[in-house]
Amino acid sequence: MKISVITAVYNSEATVGEAIASVAAQTYPDVEHLVVEGKSKDGSLAAIERAGHDRMRLISEPDEGIYDALNKGVRNATGDVVGFIHSDDFLAHDGVLARIAAAFADPAVEAVFSDLVYVSQADTSRVIRHWSTGAFHPRRLKYGWMPAHPTLYLRREVYERFGTYDKNMRIAADYDFILRYFSQATGKSVYIPEVLYKMRVGGVSNRNWAKIRQKMEEDMLAIRRNRLGGLHTLAFKNLSKVGQFLVRPQRS
């Protein structure tokens, strides 16, 4: 089973090398790493080339934003399973993809996801938030449930059936896709109750009040578009984040 991992990069010179290195270190042998670089204005391309490994393929050309880049990666992926690692983040250890591949050994499984921690920009060993997803059940969608998108691995055929990300959305196309898929999914999903992914705090959706407002508006559009509730769904989705902070900061 080949796993395709996609990394969209734009102006991530300081962190993209660590993201790439975490894929290069994976013990699982059949990996394709697609790095989609959008003609950054900093030294990202040079950083990618320095960190490059023999399982990596680079696409460097202008794009229309992160979701356009992710769609480009999905279109070029040749793996049986597709997942993502953002250029500011990294896989939690060198056995992550082996753990995911084991979950996909059951041919009835088409989605696998896990837990995620947000870590400090300055000290990535310090955990700020812990996103514990929990298992999927259809009724949970109306109460704001979603798996942490970077932990979600899907069989490539899922994208062929359900389409890719709406690039007209700037922040919440991942939530829109998750609602589209999980509201119609017929295959099995597997929740791995382990931290397999580490994300630096400070993502675009939480950068300032304008971005937070845009995120909420796009979330609401996704909820209505997929007919999965209303304002209460958005409220539960946002309230669920409170519990992610109710852990003592720890060394990971």
Side-chain angles (χ1 to χ4, degrees):
M1 180 191 301
K2 180 191 285 188
I3 299 178
S4 294
V5 180
I6 297 164
T7 301
V9 182
Y10 186 73
N11 292 347
S12 300
E13 177 182 7
T15 57
V16 67
E18 187 173 11
I20 293 171
S22 76
V23 179
Q26 294 299 302
T27 59
Y28 187 73
D30 203 354
V31 176
E32 169 187 63
H33 189 190
L34 289 161
V35 178
V36 184
E37 193 276 325
K39 291 298 180 182
S40 301
K41 299 184 186 303
D42 65 358
S44 292
L45 184 57
I48 292 166
E49 291 171 342
R50 285 195 300 271
H53 55 93
D54 59 5
R55 297 186 285 183
M56 189 187 91
R57 183 151 54 100
L58 173 63
I59 301 171
S60 181
E61 61 189 27
D63 57 52
E64 298 175 40
I66 186 171
Y67 295 115
D68 184 37
L70 296 182
N71 288 344
K72 193 180 299 182
V74 172
R75 288 195 300 270
N76 282 276
T78 62
D80 307 287
V81 170
V82 176
F84 304 98
I85 176 167
H86 295 322
S87 58
D88 291 339
D89 310 327
F90 52 98
L91 300 175
H93 54 74
D94 63 8
V96 167
L97 296 183
R99 186 76 176 87
I100 290 165
F104 276 109
D106 179 352
V109 171
E110 63 179 25
V112 174
F113 51 92
S114 65
D115 292 348
L116 169 153
V117 290
Y118 291 81
V119 296
S120 166
Q121 287 269 1
D123 177 3
T124 58
S125 70
R126 187 165 70 88
V127 175
I128 307 297
R129 294 167 58 186
H130 187 293
W131 187 337
S132 181
T133 300
F136 167 66
H137 190 282
R139 68 172 177 270
R140 298 189 71 189
L141 293 173
K142 290 188 176 182
Y143 292 93
W145 178 90
M146 69 174 290
H149 178 245
T151 76
L152 177 61
Y153 285 73
L154 296 166
R155 293 196 188 272
R156 183 158 51 92
E157 63 197 41
V158 168
Y159 291 101
E160 296 168 359
R161 295 198 330 260
F162 291 91
T164 52
Y165 300 95
D166 181 355
K167 65 182 182 181
N168 294 315
M169 286 185 162
R170 309 307 297 176
I171 298 178
D174 51 349
Y175 183 47
D176 175 61
F177 175 84
I178 283 167
L179 292 183
R180 189 190 329 150
Y181 167 67
F182 279 99
S183 64
Q184 303 176 67
T186 55
K188 288 172 60 177
S189 65
V190 172
Y191 164 55
I192 301 174
E194 302 170 18
V195 173
L196 299 184
Y197 193 96
K198 297 186 178 184
M199 173 181 284
R200 287 176 173 85
V201 295
V204 65
S205 64
N206 299 307
R207 193 162 292 165
N208 53 49
W209 170 245
K211 292 295 184 184
I212 292 171
R213 180 175 177 177
Q214 182 182 4
K215 176 72 162 60
M216 292 175 67
E217 290 173 350
E218 291 190 8
D219 281 350
M220 196 68 239
L221 173 61
I223 290 165
R224 287 175 172 157
R225 174 187 286 177
N226 292 283
R227 300 179 180 179
L228 283 167
L231 286 173
H232 72 282
T233 306
L234 181 61
F236 278 115
K237 180 176 184 290
N238 290 326
L239 286 170
S240 70
K241 297 177 183 179
V242 174
Q244 297 173 11
F245 291 93
L246 300 180
V247 292
R248 177 179 296 179
Q250 56 186 291
R251 298 283 165 176
S252 59

